[in-house]
Amino acid sequence: MATLVNGSATADWPGRYFHIDQILDKPGPRTDPGFAAGAEAPFLRDQAKILVIGAGGLGCEILANLALTGFKHIHVIDMDTIDISNLNRQFLFRSKDVGKSKAIVAADFIMQRVPGVEVTPYFGKIQDKGDDYYMQFNLVICGLDSVEARRWINATLVNLVDPENPESLKPLIDGGTEGFKGQARVILPTITSCYECSLDMLNKQTAFPICTIANTPRLPEHCIEWASVLEWPRVHGDKKMDTDDPEHISWLYKTAASRAKEFNIEGVTWSLTQGVVKNIIPAIASTNAIIAAACCNEAFKIATSSAAYLNNYFMLIGTDGIYSYTFEHEKRADCPVCGGESLDFPISMEVTVEELIDMLIEKQDIQIKKPSLSTPTRQIYLQAPPQLEQATRPNLEKKVSELVPGGGEVTVTASTLPFSLSLNIIYN
């Protein structure tokens, strides 16, 4: 039996990891050349420190899998609190936990259920932590539902890499689900394709015409978009909407419901309001389980060198039967995060700065919200602070060709992303 300290088990008992040790105690046909039979278990159980980002549908599965596999030093970050709608698939939570931090509750549950595992929670945003925090981990696993958060951690881990310090390279395992579809991928920052390299693979978000949502709404989604896009700025002015703030979602829900009643439209609910403003697609528990298992399998292989890890993209499609496929996603030479080359950007001589900004927002392989533009010698348009936005606003109506010569470089930045994009302007 395990030793009890303060009422909790801290040591292992004979045979606890019997099945896992069958893999670690002897080499196999797909074993990495650096694999040391019998010597990998101490690293896995005593030294490896792993970070899980997200404690929702995927995160709950990932935390349980890691703890039962033998990882004993786990950290988890999540900024969300538990909602009653989470309980049907996020199995670490109970009714009594509604309203509490997902990270804290998940960590407590795992430590109570799996003796000897230490799970350190952080209730907050990944952006709250600096480079020193991320440097302490051997692996990072993402179970996020946000593209922006994925882009942020991807860029952060790429920026951490120091060619002269191998310990600075932190493998990133990213999992994602969308209904019956899912994907898992292994990213070795600066070595393999990063998350930003594959941005053009994302489904384009549904956009509703402004004239429809303003004048002739027909769907509950139209009413929600009206509340968030048109009514919020009118009522709240420059106050930024936080889609993770329950009070903001509540205001949107009530406003959209009132609008729907006015036009005899049914179907506006709290969950749909969240889904529209956060682009959430209903989660399927079985898809979460499969993708979490794939992510943890890769974490185990990387931590122990017991088998070749994924190179580098696994996709699952379960809409009609079950289909899975693996392939190597290639690096982009002009990737703004890991590529290093400027992106050639052909435009007409007649394109205005405002039109260029719209093109950057719409372009699938860029997708930067609220971009600010500058050149090495001048500020073209800055989204913030308000004084600079007002000072550069007249440039929106000017042609880009009046401000940037052919072959000139434009730097694009956004407050939500920790990197800048360099455009090489080419006039048609």
Side-chain angles (χ1 to χ4, degrees):
M1 289 295 292
T3 304
L4 290 179
V5 178
N6 295 328
S8 63
T10 59
D12 295 331
W13 52 89
R16 179 177 186 179
Y17 296 110
F18 173 79
H19 297 290
I20 292 173
D21 287 341
Q22 298 300 299
I23 300 171
L24 300 181
D25 286 347
K26 54 187 176 235
R30 289 177 55 80
T31 302
D32 186 274
F35 176 73
E40 302 295 346
F43 173 78
L44 175 71
R45 292 162 199 164
D46 301 328
Q47 301 173 41
K49 188 179 286 188
I50 191 164
L51 172 65
V52 177
I53 302 178
L58 262 181
C60 285
E61 297 274 0
I62 290 169
L63 287 168
N65 289 347
L66 291 175
L68 294 170
T69 302
F71 288 94
K72 291 191 173 180
H73 302 287
I74 305 169
H75 287 237
V76 58
I77 294 182
D78 199 299
M79 63 179 289
D80 282 345
T81 54
I82 299 163
D83 185 79
I84 194 168
S85 64
N86 301 146
L87 302 183
N88 70 331
R89 64 192 182 282
Q90 298 176 21
F91 59 88
L92 302 183
F93 311 138
R94 301 293 182 266
S95 299
K96 63 182 175 60
D97 301 320
V98 171
K100 298 178 183 178
S101 158
K102 286 185 177 182
I104 294 173
V105 173
D108 288 343
F109 191 103
I110 292 293
M111 288 191 288
Q112 290 176 19
R113 187 65 184 265
V114 188
V117 175
E118 179 187 9
V119 185
T120 305
Y122 175 69
F123 177 33
K125 298 181 178 182
I126 55 175
Q127 293 87 346
D128 296 343
K129 299 295 188 179
D131 290 352
D132 290 344
Y133 176 80
Y134 294 106
M135 277 292 290
Q136 68 180 304
F137 300 107
N138 301 102
L139 276 168
V140 178
I141 301 184
C142 286
L144 292 162
D145 62 0
S146 163
V147 172
E148 282 192 6
R150 282 190 176 96
R151 295 176 76 178
W152 190 92
I153 190 63
N154 172 73
T156 298
L157 295 183
V158 170
N159 292 336
L160 276 184
V161 176
D162 178 356
E164 297 181 1
N165 178 15
E167 294 296 318
S168 66
L169 193 152
K170 310 297 178 184
L172 172 64
I173 301 169
D174 178 52
T177 63
E178 188 177 276
F180 287 102
K181 301 176 184 177
Q183 55 87 19
R185 62 186 301 182
V186 173
I187 296 170
L188 302 182
T190 72
I191 295 176
T192 65
S193 162
C194 76
Y195 184 79
E196 200 74 19
C197 290
S198 60
L199 208 58
D200 57 350
M201 293 176 63
L202 298 177
N203 291 330
K204 195 171 181 179
Q205 295 187 16
T206 303
F208 301 107
I210 289 293
C211 58
T212 299
I213 64 176
N215 302 314
T216 55
R218 299 183 301 277
L219 302 171
E221 290 85 353
H222 292 163
C223 300
I224 297 166
E225 281 286 291
W226 174 83
S228 62
V229 175
L230 299 178
E231 197 65 2
W232 177 276
R234 188 186 71 80
V235 175
H236 298 280
D238 293 332
K239 182 179 180 181
K240 184 180 179 182
M241 182 198 306
D242 183 356
T243 56
D244 292 305
D245 187 329
E247 290 186 6
H248 290 193
I249 296 295
S250 179
W251 185 92
L252 290 173
Y253 165 61
K254 291 175 182 177
T255 305
S258 175
R259 173 81 164 176
K261 185 177 181 180
E262 180 184 348
F263 286 88
N264 296 317
I265 297 171
E266 297 181 354
V268 174
T269 64
W270 174 281
S271 59
L272 181 64
T273 303
Q274 273 191 315
V276 170
V277 298
K278 297 181 70 173
N279 195 35
I280 295 173
I281 294 172
I284 308 296
S286 57
T287 311
N288 286 339
I290 294 169
I291 296 303
C295 291
C296 294
N297 192 33
E298 296 309 318
F300 180 81
K301 290 189 287 184
I302 292 173
T304 63
S305 302
S306 57
Y309 52 81
L310 177 67
N311 183 30
N312 50 26
Y313 201 108
F314 163 78
M315 59 186 292
L316 170 76
I317 301 174
T319 47
D320 298 305
I322 298 179
Y323 171 77
S324 65
Y325 179 65
T326 61
F327 65 96
E328 180 181 0
H329 192 283
E330 296 184 358
K331 290 183 70 173
R332 272 175 49 200
D334 59 2
C335 173
V337 173
C338 71
E341 295 184 10
S342 297
L343 175 65
D344 288 341
F345 204 84
I347 59 172
S348 164
M349 294 280 289
E350 303 302 314
V351 168
T352 64
V353 171
E354 188 169 19
E355 290 170 337
L356 174 60
I357 289 174
D358 290 339
M359 292 165 70
L360 292 172
I361 294 171
E362 290 294 323
K363 196 166 170 54
Q364 275 292 98
D365 57 354
I366 296 178
Q367 296 189 41
I368 292 183
K369 297 179 181 178
K370 296 187 176 180
S372 295
L373 311 179
S374 62
T375 70
T377 59
R378 71 190 304 169
Q379 296 168 338
I380 298 176
Y381 179 69
L382 300 181
Q383 298 275 0
Q387 298 90 336
L388 288 178
E389 192 281 330
Q390 187 174 2
T392 56
R393 192 182 304 164
N395 287 339
L396 288 174
E397 298 178 359
K398 293 181 180 179
K399 297 176 183 177
V400 178
S401 55
E402 297 175 24
L403 305 170
V404 183
E409 186 176 289
V410 172
T411 300
V412 184
T413 58
S415 60
T416 54
L417 300 174
F419 63 86
S420 60
L421 171 65
S422 180
L423 300 180
N424 182 32
I425 299 297
I426 300 172
Y427 295 113
N428 296 332

